[in-house]
Amino acid sequence: MITQRAFSVEPWTVRETELNLDVLAQSESVFALSNGHVGWRGNLDEGEPHGLPGSYLNGVHELHPLPYAEAGYGYPESGQTSINVTNGKVLRLLVDDEPFDLRYGRLITHERTLDLRRGVLERVCEWTSPAGSTVRVRSTRLVSLTQRAIAAVAYEVEPVDSRTRVVVQSELVANESLPGPDGDPRAARALKSPLEPEEDLASGSRLRLVHRTRRSGLRVAVAADHLVTGPERTTTSSESNVDVARLTITSVLEPGERLRVEKLVAHGWSGARSRPAMSDQVEAALAAAAHSGWWGLLKDQRAYLDDFWARADVEIDGDEEIQQAVRFALFHVLQAGARAEQRAIPAKGLTGSGYDGHAFWDTEAFVLPVLTYTAPKAAAEALRWRRDTLPAARERAAQLGLRGAAFPWRTIEGSEGSAYWPAGTAAFHVGADIADAVVRYVAATGDEAFEREVGVELLVETARLWRSLGHHDDRGVFHIDGVTGPDEYSAIADDNTYTNLMARANLLAAADACKRHPDEAARLGADEEETAAWRDAAEAVHVPYNEELGVHEQNAGFTRYQRWDFDRTGPDQYPLMLHFPYFDLYRKQVVKQADLVLAMYTCGSFFEEYFDEEQIARNFAYYEPLTVRDSSLSACVQAVMAARTGHLDLACAYTTEAALMDLGDLEHNTRDGLHIASLAGTWMALVAGFGGMRCVDGGLLFAPRLPERYSRLAFSVGFLGRCLRVELTAGQATYTLRSGPPLTIRHHGSEVTVREEAPVTRPVPPLPRRPAPSRPPHRAPNAR
């Protein structure tokens, strides 16, 4: 784990100024590059040493048996695991016959820099071989945001003080040796060398490998081309076999001379296309990249990111570490979804193998809100992927005896991949999270074509699930029993408040969408009788409330459970699920991650009648001492609601925890990949928390509160074709419409109309005075 600051604090870069092999895997995650389709971990160019090799194509996975002690009806039979595809990053170097390996010889300097504005990873180092030859190596790496299949490396070698013979071996490598998956030996066997060779080629400076996965039947093609610049005596040769294609470049360099290799790598995969078609596909992608050239790729990358930062940047004065962290967060959230294009956004993006590369509800609940207001096309594509997986979701619902669509708890290709049935079967709120993301996207963009072509079907099929899952009691109250909400320490509960309110919003949204799009409703067989039943269920949904305590219950009866004995829980016993049986957790008042608090944040915009400001304050004060944050999804939500209830110092602490989750390796597992949802939560904490932004009744509402730690907070959001800039300073908020027609918003309840180039400034009312809530012992925010 990272035990001290590993990266210098700078506003637009993440810089590592020395190489620490003990935390190499963590740095590889931080320095990962991706465009949502291709992902390259930040491995060293030479391939070794490494923490975890990683080259990923979004959606490429292998199947493996799922372990069960006892069989049960409806259990998924196969698990899905993303695999390490053909690695095109490798550029091995030999210096006077000595391998360039930083574990040997003497490393004089080593610096790597992730440039968030240019979208590149740069490296410069000096190394003296065991034989005494000193060389300087520079490299720049990118995964193109404009050419979806392309990643590229520019690699330079120069001798420092003497004539040096150098050899560069540029490779494509398949079936690299990897650490085995934990726990299940059957999975380890299934995933060992998952790529079966179909074609290998080495011709001149061009390399190509084509493989197919053994069980899932997916074909993967990777090709590379090179531009070599060096002294006249530079020579090249190429060769290939089933798992390696190699271009060998040999030169003799005098001090002041350089050998430069520009390597373009094209990637493609398909479950249906033939081997010749896949070969042609990657060759065509290489041709397009060669037309742009290395410098053209760099220029296009910068232009893409200039446009993104103009729409998405968040500026903070007063905390340089958070300024860096929020830009790092936005960059990686963008990378996770920018060119995913009808594929999932995994929980780790394409930065590591954690969670087997699966996507969860995190995508819709945490990541898509950020993308909706900063890169809406990416949000739409993620939802199109959900629409494309509807056949599997319908099949799963039918298997469970339900109507509509039951979306999976965790998946890569659309079927349920969880062997843990309290989540994999009972976490039905995933469907409502998807519906919420549809509603948010349409409200923010006005994209009626998307709603008609994609949104209506998602809303209808998820509404059908709720109507068949729930039931009316003899008093007409609608209940949804036996479900698992966001808090995984309270599984198989009745009337989870988050689930019920999200289901209510889903049912109403589906009925409204059918009214707006009657032709689509008719195509789906959703008639007036069915939509009326949805509305009846929504209006009658039960929301558990303890009248004596004056607080909402996380689920029915939660407030009567025995409280967890925090006094007898030591600091080394967190996370609790690794030290106590789930049975004990399920029946106690202890919360893994914000659940009822998340309901106030997400559903409060729809149902303000349940959550006025005083009710929110009481609920927050009740659940804060119970919430142990054994999930990286919790801190950002608690930050938002702490800010809303006036506890700004606490909100700052939670914001810092979310922001530094990976830069500080707070959960000691950044080596497996970044926490994309927690990174997205950094934006949520700042924009929805301190900025107080919510979308209510199709319009934007702001209730900003600036903590003393920050002297200024500014951010931009895209809304209905406009770009709105919000700037907070002590005691006031200024709204500037950067582009688009006039926009009417609400500022602390009062309407404000903003016009282009005519900023409007409004005062921020004083904070309410409330007692600070307590927290569980040993669970103060894990900040700096």
Side-chain angles (χ1 to χ4, degrees):
M1 61 171 286
I2 298 173
T3 57
Q4 59 185 6
R5 178 172 289 164
F7 311 104
S8 59
V9 177
E10 304 173 34
W12 284 102
T13 59
V14 178
R15 191 184 310 274
E16 178 189 68
T17 56
E18 62 181 28
L19 187 66
N20 184 347
L21 297 181
D22 292 335
V23 293
L24 189 57
Q26 288 86 330
S27 294
E28 290 169 351
S29 298
V30 169
F31 289 139
L33 295 176
S34 170
N35 60 14
H37 174 58
V38 177
W40 276 4
R41 275 177 65 83
N43 306 117
L44 299 178
D45 301 284
E46 299 77 29
E48 295 182 12
H50 59 243
L52 174 68
S55 300
Y56 307 108
L57 284 172
N58 194 347
V60 175
H61 66 281
E62 187 55 298
L63 303 174
H64 61 85
L66 285 173
Y68 296 104
E70 297 180 14
Y73 176 79
Y75 285 5
E77 295 180 0
S78 293
Q80 312 144 34
T81 297
S82 65
I83 61 171
N84 185 39
V85 301
T86 305
N87 182 2
K89 300 188 293 289
V90 177
L91 288 145
R92 304 192 195 279
L93 173 63
L94 281 82
V95 178
D96 285 337
D97 301 323
E98 293 274 2
F100 182 90
D101 188 324
L102 302 182
R103 292 167 292 191
Y104 307 100
R106 184 167 68 93
L107 184 60
I108 302 168
T109 62
H110 193 279
E111 180 173 292
R112 288 191 289 176
T113 304
L114 179 64
D115 189 321
L116 305 174
R117 282 188 289 200
R118 295 168 56 225
V120 297
L121 175 64
E122 296 178 307
R123 176 191 183 206
V124 59
C125 64
E126 286 190 16
W127 174 81
T128 300
S129 73
S133 299
T134 301
V135 293
R136 181 178 298 113
V137 174
R138 294 183 178 89
S139 70
T140 303
R141 179 187 297 176
L142 67 82
V143 172
S144 177
L145 294 163
T146 58
Q147 298 192 36
R148 184 174 184 248
I150 297 299
V153 185
Y155 189 83
E156 287 187 352
V157 185
E158 65 173 309
V160 171
D161 51 17
S162 62
R163 188 171 188 264
T164 305
R165 181 184 301 106
V166 300
V167 177
V168 174
Q169 296 174 309
S170 176
E171 296 182 346
L172 302 179
V173 185
N175 290 317
E176 294 176 284
S177 295
L178 298 172
D182 295 332
D184 183 12
R186 292 177 298 172
R189 287 194 297 269
L191 299 175
K192 184 178 181 180
S193 299
L195 295 172
E196 295 184 322
E198 290 193 326
E199 176 185 277
D200 62 272
L201 173 134
S203 177
S205 64
R206 186 155 288 193
L207 311 172
R208 185 172 70 242
L209 294 177
V210 181
H211 288 76
R212 194 173 187 184
T213 57
R214 298 177 187 278
R215 292 169 176 78
S216 57
L218 305 178
R219 184 167 281 116
V220 176
V222 180
D225 201 359
H226 304 79
L227 177 63
V228 179
T229 307
E232 290 184 6
R233 49 195 174 277
T234 302
T235 62
T236 64
S237 64
S238 59
E239 59 184 323
S240 68
N241 59 45
V242 293
D243 279 345
V244 178
R246 178 185 299 116
L247 176 70
T248 301
I249 306 152
T250 305
S251 189
V252 177
L253 303 176
E254 301 288 350
E257 291 183 324
R258 295 182 181 181
L259 176 65
R260 178 180 173 88
V261 181
E262 294 174 2
K263 181 179 186 181
L264 307 178
V265 186
H267 307 74
W269 74 272
S270 174
R273 304 191 75 198
S274 68
R275 179 190 57 75
M278 291 306 304
S279 296
D280 292 347
Q281 178 180 324
V282 291
E283 290 294 334
L286 269 186
H291 185 267
S292 298
W294 168 257
W295 300 107
L297 289 172
L298 279 180
K299 180 181 177 182
D300 292 346
Q301 191 87 336
R302 177 61 187 258
Y304 185 102
L305 286 166
D306 282 347
D307 177 66
F308 172 72
W309 289 118
R311 292 179 283 106
D313 190 24
V314 176
E315 299 175 16
I316 302 168
D317 293 347
D319 195 323
E320 295 178 349
E321 199 168 23
I322 300 303
Q323 176 64 87
Q324 178 191 50
V326 68
R327 286 175 174 151
F328 173 80
L330 281 165
F331 178 76
H332 273 292
V333 170
L334 174 69
Q335 286 199 132
R339 301 302 305 273
E341 294 171 12
Q342 294 182 240
R343 297 289 173 199
I345 298 178
K348 297 290 186 180
L350 300 179
T351 68
S353 58
Y355 296 123
D356 290 323
H358 288 190
F360 295 76
W361 69 287
D362 313 8
T363 298
E364 284 76 21
F366 294 83
V367 179
L368 293 197
V370 182
L371 293 176
T372 294
Y373 295 110
T374 60
K377 286 181 63 177
E381 290 298 316
L383 291 169
R384 285 190 174 93
W385 169 74
R386 287 293 194 183
R387 187 273 313 273
D388 292 344
T389 65
L390 268 170
R394 291 190 184 102
E395 183 179 343
R396 179 64 171 160
Q399 184 183 37
L400 298 175
L402 301 168
R403 295 191 65 215
F407 283 96
W409 169 249
R410 59 186 300 167
T411 189
I412 293 176
E413 43 73 53
S415 63
E416 180 58 67
S418 175
Y420 178 62
W421 75 268
T425 301
F428 290 103
H429 68 84
V430 178
D433 299 320
I434 294 167
D436 179 55
V438 168
V439 171
R440 182 188 302 106
Y441 171 79
V442 173
T445 63
D447 190 344
E448 293 184 5
F450 172 88
E451 183 179 50
R452 182 175 60 255
E453 297 164 9
V454 177
V456 174
E457 189 170 13
L458 285 171
L459 291 170
V460 165
E461 296 295 4
T462 48
R464 283 172 171 160
L465 178 82
W466 296 119
R467 186 61 189 84
S468 64
L469 183 64
H471 71 281
H472 291 276
D473 65 16
D474 54 9
R475 295 178 293 112
V477 179
F478 190 73
H479 299 276
I480 304 173
D481 295 330
V483 300
T484 300
D487 172 33
E488 296 163 43
Y489 287 173
S490 302
I492 320 301
D494 295 341
D495 288 322
N496 173 259
T497 295
Y498 176 86
T499 301
N500 283 17
L501 286 178
M502 291 291 283
R504 181 184 175 192
N506 189 166
L507 291 160
L508 294 174
D512 291 344
C514 288
K515 187 175 182 179
R516 287 191 298 272
H517 303 282
D519 291 344
E520 283 302 304
R523 181 182 68 83
L524 296 168
D527 56 22
E528 290 187 6
E529 182 179 356
E530 184 174 19
T531 59
W534 296 343
R535 293 187 188 278
D536 288 344
E539 295 304 331
V541 75
H542 180 56
V543 179
Y545 188 78
N546 185 313
E547 296 283 353
E548 183 179 349
L549 296 173
V551 298
H552 288 91
E553 294 192 297
Q554 180 168 292
N555 54 263
F558 181 84
T559 55
R560 69 166 179 78
Y561 294 171
Q562 181 182 357
R563 287 208 169 206
W564 185 264
D565 191 346
F566 290 105
D567 292 335
R568 294 191 178 185
T569 306
D572 58 343
Q573 293 181 292
Y574 294 92
L576 297 179
M577 74 276 197
L578 300 183
H579 299 90
F580 299 93
Y582 270 110
F583 167 73
D584 206 19
L585 296 168
Y586 289 166
R587 62 199 189 98
K588 300 286 178 61
Q589 288 193 61
V590 60
V591 180
K592 178 182 181 182
Q593 61 205 63
D595 188 312
L596 191 281
V597 174
L598 179 63
M600 296 191 295
Y601 166 57
T602 306
C603 307
S605 299
F606 300 116
F607 308 121
E608 292 185 301
E609 68 269 25
Y610 290 109
F611 303 120
D612 62 24
E613 297 305 316
E614 290 305 315
Q615 183 65 66
I616 288 172
R618 288 198 302 273
N619 286 346
F620 184 75
Y622 185 85
Y623 285 93
E624 186 68 4
L626 305 177
T627 305
V628 295
R629 299 188 332 285
D630 283 348
S631 165
S632 63
L633 301 180
S634 197
C636 59
V637 177
Q638 289 171 275
V640 172
M641 300 315 292
R644 186 165 176 183
T645 53
H647 305 297
L648 299 187
D649 289 341
L650 180 59
C652 278
Y654 283 138
T655 299
T656 301
E657 178 172 305
L660 300 184
M661 185 62 62
D662 292 309
L663 286 176
D665 193 19
L666 300 186
E667 292 201 345
H668 318 321
N669 57 7
T670 297
R671 62 185 180 274
D672 301 326
L674 302 181
H675 299 77
I676 300 300
S678 184
L679 293 175
T682 307
W683 182 93
M684 288 169 49
L686 294 168
V687 173
F690 300 124
M693 190 185 89
R694 289 182 287 151
C695 186
V696 180
D697 297 330
L700 288 182
L701 178 154
F702 296 90
R705 305 284 188 190
L706 189 68
E708 291 183 2
R709 180 177 296 177
Y710 308 151
S711 57
R712 186 179 73 97
L713 170 65
F715 57 88
S716 296
V717 293
F719 190 75
L720 295 177
R722 303 158 172 92
C723 182
L724 179 69
R725 186 70 168 169
V726 181
E727 183 173 6
L728 310 178
T729 54
Q732 65 181 32
T734 299
Y735 302 94
T736 303
L737 191 62
R738 289 187 162 180
S739 62
L743 177 66
T744 298
I745 61 174
R746 281 196 283 164
H747 167 84
H748 281 285
S750 299
E751 282 196 356
V752 175
T753 299
V754 191
R755 294 175 173 80
E756 196 170 352
E757 303 304 328
V760 176
T761 299
R762 291 289 184 269
V764 172
L767 281 169
R769 292 184 176 275
R770 295 188 176 103
S774 60
R775 293 182 298 279
H778 316 301
R779 301 308 287 165
N782 188 357
R784 301 175 199 267

